[in-house]
């Protein structure tokens, strides 16, 4: 089943797609797509679509 949700990821000085994808993998998600939708002084809000086990 494919699901979507918002995830908070800590802001980094060197933002890259590799950084975001590595952080999402650390959280255990099988990601289909992602997009940064918001941010504050500490976190990016990343909306993800993922395969739910």
């Amino acid at each position: 089943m494919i699901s979507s949700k918002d995830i908070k990821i800590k802001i980094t000085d060197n933002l890259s797609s590799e950084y975001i994808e590595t952080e999402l993998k650390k959280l255990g998600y099988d990601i289909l797509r992602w997009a940064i939708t918001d941010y504050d002084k500490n976190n990016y809000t990343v909306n993800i679509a993922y395969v739910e086990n």
Side-chain angles (χ1 to χ4, degrees):
M1 180 157 139
I2 297 174
S3 298
S4 65
K5 67 178 358 180
D6 288 333
I7 301 290
K8 299 276 187 182
I9 295 180
K10 190 170 182 85
I11 286 186
T12 181
D13 291 333
N14 298 315
L15 178 62
S16 67
S17 58
E18 290 82 13
Y19 170 75
I20 299 294
E21 290 168 8
T22 299
E23 293 300 305
L24 293 171
K25 285 179 186 176
K26 286 180 189 177
L27 295 171
Y29 290 104
D30 183 9
I31 300 298
L32 298 173
R33 66 125 189 99
W34 60 268
I36 296 174
T37 57
D38 199 8
Y39 67 94
D40 59 29
K41 63 181 178 179
N42 298 315
N43 298 297
Y44 298 113
T45 301
V46 181
N47 182 270
I48 63 171
Y50 63 98
V51 176
E52 195 172 337
N53 294 331

